[in-house]
Every structure is written in C-alpha cells, then in structure tokens.
Amino acid sequence: MMALPYITEHTGFTGTVYATEPTVQIGRLLMEELVNFIERVPKAQSASLWKNKDTQRLLPSPLKDAVEVSTWRRCYTMQEVNSALSKIQLVGYSQKIELFGAVQVTPLSSGYALGSSNWIIQSHYEKVSYVSGSSLLTTHPQPMDQASLKNSDVLILTGLTQIPTANPDGMVGEFCSNLALTVRNGGNVLVPCYPSGVIYDLLECLYQYIDSAGLSSIPFYFISPVANSSLEFSQIFAEWLCHNKQTKVYLPEPPFPHAELIQTNKLKHYPSIHGDFSNDFRQPCVVFTGHPSLRFGDVVHFMELWGKSSLNTVIFTEPDFSYLEALAPYQPLAMKCIYCPIDTRLNFIQVSKLLKEVQPLHVVCPEQYTQPPPAQSHRVDLMIDCQPPAMSYRRAEVLALPFRRRYEKIEIMPELADSLVPMEIKPGISLATVSAVLHTKDNKHVLQPPPRPAQPTGGKKRKRPSDDIPDCKVLKPLLSGSIPVEQFVQTLEKHGFSDIKVEDTAKGHIVLLQEAETLIQIEEDSTHIICDNDEVLRVRLRDLVLKFLQKF
Amino acid sequence: MLLSHVVHTAATEVCFPSPLSVLQGEGPRASCGAGAGQDVGRSCILVSIGGKNVMLDCGMHMGFSDDRRFPDFSYITRNGRLTDFLDCVIISHFHLDHCGALPYFSEMVGYDGPIYMTQPTQAICPILLEDYRKIAVDKKGEANFFTSQMIKDCMKKVVAVHLHQTVQVDDELEIKAYYAGHVLGAAMFQIKVGSESVVYTGDYNMTPDRHLGAAWIDKCRPNLLITESTYATTIRDSKRCRERDFLKKVHETVERGGKVLIPVFALGRAQELCILLETFWERMDLKAPIYFSTGLTEKANHYYKLFIPWTNQKIRKTFVQRNMFEFKHIKAFDRAFADSPGPMVVFATPGMLHAGQSLQIFRKWAGSERNMVIMPGYCVQGTVGHKILSGQRKLEMEGRQVLEVKMQVEYMSFSAHADAKGIMQLVGQAEPENVLLVHGEAKKMEFLKQKIEQEFRVSCYMPANGETVTLSTSPSIPVGISLGLLKREMAQGLLPDAKKPRLLHGTLIMKDSNFRLVSSEQALKELGLAEHQLRFTCRVHLHDTRKEQETALRVYSHLKSVLKDHCVQHLPDGSVTVESILIQAAAHSEDPSTKVLLVSWTYQDEELGSYLTSLLKKGLPQAS
C-alpha cells in the first residue's frame, strides 16, 4: 500500500481502490510517519545525473549495483497521501464486490496484520485467488481464511516470509531475553521498528514478561509522530482481531494490553524526541522508534547517542532491511547488535501445507520462490514445491493464465422457461431447444421469450414481392436420429400413400412414391425428398419424416 | 413436462413461481393488549424465502409483565423443534423490543441454530438482558423468567457479522448487514436465496446525529423491503431546532432551581444527549450538576469507545485527540442525590419509566411543578411514560396509591428512527418490488402505505400480528451459456440491423441440476449424436426454349432483382445459389421446350426454399 500515491496521483489512474478500513487507517499512519521523517530533513539539492547508466557504472558500490535507478521517485507529500486515500472504497472481509457485472472480488482475512487481505477474483465459472502476505501463526489479527480459497483455478502466491529459516516464536523469546539482559546491566535498548504491526505483539509479550523479569521500573518509550494514533487505532478494530482479543471487547476491555501499560505509565509515547520526551527521559530504558532502515527518523539520534557504549543494545526485529547494511554507516560501533527478525508470513513448509489444503489447479508465484535462495543453493526445501509445478513470473512480465473460459451465466426469464419443453435423451440428461431473444446489459445476459409473430394480415394484397421473402434468420432446429424404413413405409401407407416401392442401395434405401413421382432417399444420417413442385405434398412428407427425428 | 417443473424437482424445495411468505409471529394474543398487530411493542417476523425460514428479531413487549410480553413461538411451528424449522435468526440491534425474548426463545422454548447479529450488538445485548432480568425477577419478583445462565448459553449461539460481509448460512441462504444508524451496532439485513431477496431494516435513522451516522443501503432491488414505520407520519423538523429546544428547556428549568429528569436507556440516545449537554455546559459555563444513573454508564461509554468505527465520521476522525465519550461534567448518580436540594439534571434508566431508578426518581419529583421530565424517546403503551405523555396526570401506582403529576412533562423526539421522509428515502435507495411496513401504528402506517404506493408504484403491505403476507416472485433461472454461442450472438448483435430482435437458438442440456445452454451443434457433439440431414429437392417446370445455361442465367438475374437482401450467386458450373439453396436447370427428357429447375435445400432453409419454388413457379419475367 505504501506506493499507492505513485499510482493514483501520477499515472492518470481513475479507477476505484478497494481496501479494508484498518488497512486504510494504519496505512495512512505508516505513510504519515514516512512523510514526516523525510520532511524533517529537507534537501536543498538533489542529484540525478548519476542515474545515467554510463555514469552509474563507474560509481563505487553500492551505488553501482542499485537496480532500476531511473524508476526511483521522490517521496510523496501528505497532500498526495490524502488524495490517494480519498480514492479508496472501504470493504469488509467476505464482502462480494461486483465489478461491471463481469467479475466479483472478495477480500479475505490473510492473518498477517490488522485488516490485511487476500483476494478472490471470480466469475461464475472461474476463480483466481491472490494470496499475499499471509500468516498461519496466531498473533493479533483475525486468522487466515483458508476455506474460501478452495476450488481456485489459479492461486497467485506472493509475500512469503523474508526469513524462511527463522522461527518467529524463538525470535520473540530471544528478543525478550536480550532486552532483559541489557537493561539489567544498566544499558539501554533500541528497537528500530515500524509504528504498527509486530510492535503490538512485542508490547504484549513484554507486558507478560516484564514483571517476571523484574523490569517493571524500566520505562518503555514509543517515539513516532503517529505513536498515539497507532496505539489508539489498534484498540478500536476489535472486529478485525483474533477471537481472543474480540472477546475482551465484550467485557468491555481494550483488546490490547498496551492500554494498561500506558495507564500504569510503563509505556509512554511521544511524537518525537523533542518536547515532552526530553523532560521525561530516564535511563536505562527501552526505545521503540523508526525508521528500521536507520537512515532517517528518530532512530538516528539514538544510534548516535548510544552507539559508543557496549552496555547498550540495538535489536532488529523488522525483516525488511539487512541489519548489516543498516548499521554500515555507523561503524565502528561499540553497542551490541542483535538480529531477531520477526516475520510471521508463510514459510515454505506452511505453503506446502496450505496448497495441500486448498488444492488450486495452478499456482503462480514470483520467480525467486521457484528456486532455492541464491545464498543457500543447497536448501531445496526453501522453494515452492507443488504439482503441477508453479508458473513463475518476473517484473513487468505478462503471464497467460492456463484456463479457458467456456461458459458464462445467463438468466432465462420465467415466461420463457415455462415455454420450454425438455425431453429426456439419455437417463438423467434432458434437452430442450431454446429460441429466445438475447438481451445484454451491464455484462448481464438475459434470455427473453421471442416476440409473438405478427398476425398475418389475411386477404390484404402485398405490395412488393420482397415483403414476402422469409427472414432467413429464423433458425430451424438441427435434426438427429435415423429413420427405420419399414415403419416409415407403414406410416406412409397409413396416411394414404399407395404404390410404394422400396429399393435398397449401398447406403440405405430409396422409397418411391410412383403415383406422385416422388423419391425419398433414406440413409443413416440423411433423408432426401425429391418431388415435383407440390408444396402440400412436400409438407406432408416432411412432417412424416420429422416424426422419426429429434430436434435440437 | 415444462422446464419449470424440472427445476422444481432438481433444486429441491424451490418452486416456481415461488411464494415468498412473510408472517409476523406474534400470535393472536396480541390483539387483546396493545392495539393489534401494527404495534411498536415487540418485533418478531418470520420470513420464508426460497424454502428457507428466517426469523427476524426476537423482541419483547415492555408494557406487559405476563405471557404477552414474549412472542407466541408456537405460531412458527406447532409441532416439531424450532431448530429444525428455522434456518437462522437475525437480530437487528440491542434494544429489548428487538432482542428481549431471545434467551426465552433459545433456552426455554428451545432453539440451537445460529443467531446472527453485529459485534456491538453481541457485546451489549447480554448486558441489557441481564439488566432487564434483574428488574423483572429481583425487583418485581416475576416467575417463569430466563436466568443469567440462560442469557450466557443463548449468547453462545450467536455468530457475529461484519458490515457488508456476505455470510453464507448454508449453500443457498446468504445474509448481508448494512449500517442502520439508530443505535450502536444497529444493522439492516439482506436475506438472499438464489435470485430472491428480502431486506429487513430493523430500526434505522436516515440522518446522522451527534454520535451515529446515517443508514445506507445500495440499490439491491430486493423482492421485498420490510421497513419499520415508527414515525410513519412525522416529518421531523431540523435536528438543530430540536436540540436548541431541548437545551432551552433544560436550561430554563435549571435556572429557576428545578430538577430535570431524563429517562433514557443506558445505551444509545443517552450518549447523544450527554454529548449535547456536555458541550452546552462547557460553552455556557453552567454549574448545576449532571448525573447519570449508576450501573451501566461507565461501561456503556466504554463500549462506545471500543466500537468507534460504528459511530459517525466526526467522532471517528477526532477520537485520537479527544474521545467524545469521556465526559467532564457528567458524574455518577447516587440515590441520595435525588433528595438533595437545588437544581440538577439526571439521566436515569430505563427510558419508558416502567421500572427501576427512573421511576423511583420520577415518583420523588413528580409533585413539584418546578421540576421537569423530558421523555426523549418513544414509550410503549402500558408504561408510565406512555401514560403521562398521553396527558394523564393522576397515576395509579402499586398498592392503590395515586400519584399526582405536577411536574412539567415534555416529549422530545430524539429517538433515532427514520421519519416519513427517511423511510421514503430508503425505499428509493433500495428500489424494492414490494414494501412491507411493520413496527408502527396502524393509522400512521396506512398514510405511509398510500404515499409509498403513489410515489414508487410498488405494492405496500401492513400485516397485523399473526397475519401472513405471501408474495409471488418470478425468479429467472440461471444457466451456463457456452461462451462460443454467446460471443457468436453478441457479434451478430453488433450488425447494422441489430435493432431488430434477434433470436438466439441453442440447446439447453439438463444433467442433474446442472443447466447449460450450448449451440445445437455442440449439443449433438456432446451427446455423441450425429446430425440427420433432411434435404428437399423440388422440380419446377418452366416453359423455356432456350438452352439450360441461358435459363439458369435468366433465373439468376430474376432472383437477383427480387431477392435484394440475399446472396444470389451464379456458379461456374451453371447452377445458381441463393444463400445455401441450390438451383440447377436441366432439359426435360420429353419436351425440349420445357426446362426443369431442380431447387434443392435443407430443412434448416425450408422457408426460403419453399418461397423460391413458389416464386419460380410463377415463371420468369419475359426477357426484355
């Protein structure tokens, strides 16, 4: 969602954006924080000539290795954020959203964050699931809705865990013990983090942990321009939370225990390090602040303040950035650095479990998931393994999905349905021929009964012969079946034809009506009536033949 | 056999045209009490749609304390368990006239199926039920009432629904909730089976107030809209005026040293009025105390705080800076305060003065003309609230005591129901085929019914309790059409003469309950049947002395001039074709001056073929 303003504000996009309410509210907070951090350090000049490919080639690493530099953009402004968010239409989980009458889109809980969604895109006969950033672990959000993903023709799978080898539970334990160790030794702990997401779980763990670890006197600071909003918003989205937290609301109690931490003054939040914070600041303490890249935001101050003492610890929990690269400009550092990435998104074991459960006909995923990570090429377990093999895609690649649309829904009006006469062709299979007028509006098709033929105007003389020319578009049904000669002859006799002669031919029979100079060739799949120009006779014969055939 | 009958057997219970029956399950007894069926007492409606039975709301009547307070559930099914008969129960909001009989229904009568309501309703409903139970059992000593445990067991059967979420009750029945305003968590529900649907509004409010937003529904075109009609004839003046009026009255009374009693329900209107008074007190810097009767207050406000997404936009936007539900001027009430001298404003529960604290305070203050009671909501017949509003000034209390009411009695419609304008607005939004009015008074409903029928040209019903309304719907039958056939037809629809109605011809294959419409060719292929070609050849004798080729040429030019819209061709082998009809000229075996035209066509081209023969029979025009 963080790139939304680039699409809605700069590409001429005029469509609607669908998202859940927590996604919009928390997404707004994340963007607001980002914009705030960036705008605190305005740049007088910006260099762009280095982006020229020939120049870039000559630059030192890491500039040399940066990819797609020409697509890099300036950060958006709050105005653009607001404009982008105003284009969003709020939706709820399991809400069926009709798009142009052609497809239906439904968000489902993905279990990763407050309001995070997987999406189903389906027509009446096809179903595509988009699974991105999902989690099967029990944290604060509503559990992932797996059942609704079943019977997908195609499942697009992306947003898997970035740290497939780390176990989030173990990491949380490590986080707590390192934190406690540092604080007990009189050091400070810095946790570079985003203002929403894993921080709620971390605070909850600490809530349970601090008393037993004897840390109840240590202040926790959460510094972010949106800290207060984030903590408040997390409490009001009860409907998007896991069952445990939902039931708290019925008591009524706030779903997250950080409310109690705030009440008891153990957790304090500030919009920035300026103002109130400088008065309240006590050490040793634990500080949660952004940005996790360590390139901007209040975290920079704390890195510089605490970096020189080995008593202090920085604990990385966000998996988005390599901690070594993040720390590089601060080296040499005396402070301890702990890497406890907590990424609750699906790992490869969970993916194969999920695919077994959901059983899509085809899986589509980014190319990197179809091979082991480059750094661990022997770990064949770190890739998606499914049958048939997953189709992979790359940046800017267009993929043709392997299914063909064969059917579409059409409604038969009740009046028309009443006029249809089905006949049973085979046991359990009935057929009815339908001649109807097709009406299509908003991609919805309706069959209506054909208009009544205009009453033939009796004795009135026709002015032009062309008035009488039949409309060849009136379709006659196809015929099927075969005609048993003997019965046919009997029928003919019954209807007053005499002098009937039957001749056998290579393929069938010829029935001769000598008196009428008429010849009827009967073969397995065809009948040919050859007669004089006697319409009455022809129609009589036709009707007799049709008796033996089925119409379609 | 007609298709409709096939569908009937295939899709089990669905019959076409299917009757859609709605009946109010309140039973015949209601007539002896509260003015027959059109009544604001208890809501309980049974809807049968597409073979599914859904019960909407399960309310109780606050005016009664005997059997009449609960709906007569034996009306739903005389024999057999309710669980077997009902597919689900839906509760629209937490007011007791919509959910008060729920524990009685599920635990004492016996129902184990799902009960759907929104999350705020699920949170608040058990508290109000417990509150009500306490008043009824502990204070009034009523027997045969549900217990606390029953409320808990009942709530275990509840499934929470989110706004706009499509809940699949079973394979065929789905429900969807829409925002209704009215009170926290109030919802309107769409109930859908196949292509048939019913919308039940519960109670709703079409104008946003100080803490809730306005009801909204999309153009879902239900077969039936069941709407409340509490304020069927009222067009309420602007909200601002009413608020100003309210504040003026409260202010005046307090200024002259009087006490103001505002009977409210703990949740809902109370919060709106508190916000109103709080801001007024702050602005005017008033000192008279405002109290809120004990019990639910703080808890109630807490619910509002946790369910901020259900409130109106302004509160949602500002809640981080200032939570509107944390009041500075409003304090908890203590029983002793009622006797203390000096002005004060007290919010007390319950709202209809039928029991509890509000009634106690009322009795204490009723004797002084300096005091005032403001009834901010509707009062059910039989309650003290209703009596004083209808002008009664001498009330018979328990123990033959007569209470003379000297205090001023004011009624201010703050209860958040849609007024006539709002109801019309909602009907316009949803575009239903039929409207059914419930939860209102017969006379007023009659007026609204006429108005709806006039303006929207839809039928409007207003059944009495125990009455059943049956609507016939004509649902169309969904089938799958092969894309090939559809595209072929659509492409032809784009041709210049598309205005003319075109016939689509195809074959409907019905296998089990799977219906597919395919082209006839495909149907034959799928069933492994070969096409049988029926061909006609007619001999037409023409008097023409010329050579066959020339005859053919004459036939060609003749047909070309007559059949301007058709494709007439002269082939190199001497034959003439009109569309797919073949005409060959041959010499007569006996008479050289006669030529025989062999006109040959298939059954599918019969009309044209037969027309051609008759045309040719008339002879060719003389060559010029």
Side-chain angles (χ1 to χ4, degrees), chain B residues 484-502:
Chain B
L485 178 63
L486 185 66
K487 281 193 174 157
R488 194 172 77 191
E489 286 302 317
M490 303 259 283
Q492 287 178 352
L494 297 174
L495 295 178
D497 60 343
K499 287 270 167 58
K500 251 182 177 173
R502 276 185 39 81

Side-chain angles (χ1 to χ4, degrees), chain B residues 190-214:
Chain B
Q190 182 192 40
I191 301 124
K192 201 170 167 193
V193 179
S195 58
E196 292 170 52
S197 65
V198 170
V199 169
Y200 173 59
T201 64
D203 291 353
Y204 62 102
N205 186 14
M206 293 299 283
T207 43
D209 61 28
R210 277 180 187 266
H211 74 297
L212 295 172

Side-chain angles (χ1 to χ4, degrees), chain A residues 94 239 246 250 406-408 410-412 430 432 434-436 477 479 481 517 525 527-529 531 542, chain B residues 1 119 122 166 303 310 476-477 479 481 483 504-506 508 510 516 530 532-533 535 537 539 604 606:
Chain A
S94 306
E239 290 175 79
Q246 276 190 21
Y250 298 149
R406 285 170 196 276
Y407 289 96
E408 196 153 308
I410 192 165
E411 304 230 311
I412 297 184
S430 300
V434 179
S435 287
L479 302 172
E517 284 189 53
D525 287 332
T527 302
H528 194 166
I529 300 173
C531 62
R542 177 197 71 188
Chain B
M1 187 167 54
Q119 216 173 21
Q122 191 188 358
T166 306
Y303 280 117
W310 286 84
S476 42
I477 297 160
V479 302
I481 184 169
L483 213 60
L504 175 145
H505 187 85
L508 190 63
M510 289 167 269
R516 286 175 306 137
H532 189 102
Q533 219 182 44
R535 186 165 259 286
T537 302
R539 292 184 289 260
Q604 281 71 26
E606 193 178 18

